[in-house]
Amino acid sequence: MATDIQIASLALTRIGHEGVTAFSASGNKASRWFASNYEFIRQALLREHSWRFATKRTYLTRDTVNEITGATAANPVVITIADGHSIANGTEVFITGVVGMTELNNRAYTTSGATATTLQLVGVDGTSYTAFSSAGSLTEYVVSEYAYRFALPSDCLRILRINGAERDDYRVEAGYLLTNEGEINCEYIFDNTDESTFDAQFVDLLASRLSAEVCFYLTDNSTLTEQSWNIYNNKLRMARGMDSRQGTPRGLDADAWLDARV
């Protein structure tokens, strides 16, 4: 079972450099480099392929869509959500789909005066607005081409599939998955920080990537650096191919398509 120090030392020996015993900002040149760069490079490599040892599945929690049941033509406008809400004062909210008092639609507001079923829209004078008729939704995110927003797991590096399909319509933005699907079963690459669970071929690959990244910094040798990158790219193709064989193929693999274009 590998450790981060063992992987780093393997990377260093491949370019003729002594290994490290720790990652430290106050250590030698190699130790300082790994302290600053190891985690970033490990995450980047995990994102590059659907590695089986770094794949998880989970159900995502959908952000609440609050159904509006009333809006006063007053100063300030008071919104009623009969089923109740958990929106704190000072929260930015967005309103869409109101019938009647359409002046409220597709705008952002700041809340205040919240009760269990109502909240005020700060600075919004609705005394001249059309009377509220029905409907409307209030959310803590902008509803545009997608109706729903789901928070991604904190360890998510890359979405692979949602609801068992590779071509579903969704978008990932700022830690959230936006979609028109009301429920999401998500398959994703997670930020696997436990090197002891890494596939042996991935350990070899990560060491090669680190060798290529650190080579010129430590050796000032452009030829050796180029050779290190060539070795890494060859190992990457082999590792992707081997990993992809661990299960039934799912049609055209994006990695294979990209490799074919190179």
Side-chain angles (χ1 to χ4, degrees):
M1 295 185 292
T3 67
D4 55 354
I5 300 301
Q6 289 173 331
I7 294 171
S9 294
L10 176 59
L12 290 168
T13 58
R14 288 179 175 177
I15 57 172
H17 196 282
E18 183 181 1
V20 293
T21 58
F23 300 165
S24 173
S26 59
N28 60 31
K29 190 173 182 179
S31 181
R32 293 196 305 271
W33 187 90
F34 279 97
S36 298
N37 295 284
Y38 176 83
E39 290 300 316
F40 166 74
I41 293 170
R42 177 188 56 77
Q43 289 179 334
L45 187 54
L46 284 172
R47 277 179 53 87
E48 289 185 11
H49 177 71
S50 54
W51 307 107
R52 303 300 194 266
F53 72 89
T55 300
K56 277 186 180 180
R57 299 170 190 262
T58 189
Y59 281 93
L60 302 185
T61 300
R62 189 178 74 191
D63 276 14
T64 301
V65 177
N66 299 284
E67 300 303 325
I68 297 172
T69 56
T72 63
N75 184 15
V77 171
V78 177
I79 301 295
T80 298
I81 300 168
D83 291 337
H85 67 87
S86 58
I87 298 171
N89 292 333
T91 301
E92 185 177 57
V93 298
F94 302 87
I95 292 177
T96 59
V98 171
V99 177
M101 195 179 290
T102 56
E103 295 91 342
L104 295 177
N105 287 332
N106 304 317
R107 292 172 56 189
Y109 304 93
T110 301
T111 64
S112 68
T115 70
T117 58
T118 67
L119 48 84
Q120 299 174 10
L121 305 182
V122 175
V124 181
D125 183 354
T127 54
S128 63
Y129 285 5
T130 308
F132 176 84
S133 175
S134 64
S137 298
L138 184 147
T139 60
E140 295 182 47
Y141 59 93
V142 176
V143 176
S144 53
E145 70 266 41
Y146 298 111
Y148 304 116
R149 187 177 79 164
F150 297 78
L152 292 174
S154 60
D155 63 353
C156 179
L157 293 178
R158 173 188 167 196
I159 297 293
L160 297 178
R161 300 195 306 167
I162 65 171
N163 296 340
E166 297 181 22
R167 297 293 184 266
D168 262 355
D169 185 18
Y170 69 89
R171 186 178 182 87
V172 173
E173 294 180 356
Y176 291 90
L177 187 147
L178 310 180
T179 181
N180 288 318
E181 299 287 337
E183 295 183 355
I184 294 296
N185 176 3
C186 177
E187 181 181 349
Y188 68 99
I189 295 296
F190 74 97
D191 187 11
N192 190 342
T193 60
D194 184 359
E195 283 84 359
S196 68
T197 67
F198 287 3
D199 178 87
Q201 197 157 20
F202 183 84
V203 170
D204 179 48
L205 179 65
L206 178 55
S208 292
R209 173 67 172 264
L210 292 167
S211 292
E213 295 277 5
V214 76
C215 186
F216 194 79
Y217 174 74
L218 292 178
T219 68
D220 201 31
N221 186 326
S222 57
T223 300
L224 181 59
T225 299
E226 182 179 3
Q227 291 172 348
S228 297
W229 276 110
N230 288 336
I231 291 171
Y232 163 72
N233 286 323
N234 288 332
K235 286 180 179 291
L236 177 60
R237 284 189 287 272
M238 288 188 292
R240 282 176 170 175
M242 290 297 294
D243 189 73
S244 297
R245 295 188 182 100
Q246 298 188 71
T248 304
R250 292 173 171 171
L252 180 63
D253 189 315
D255 295 325
W257 183 87
L258 289 172
D259 286 341
R261 301 282 294 177
V262 175

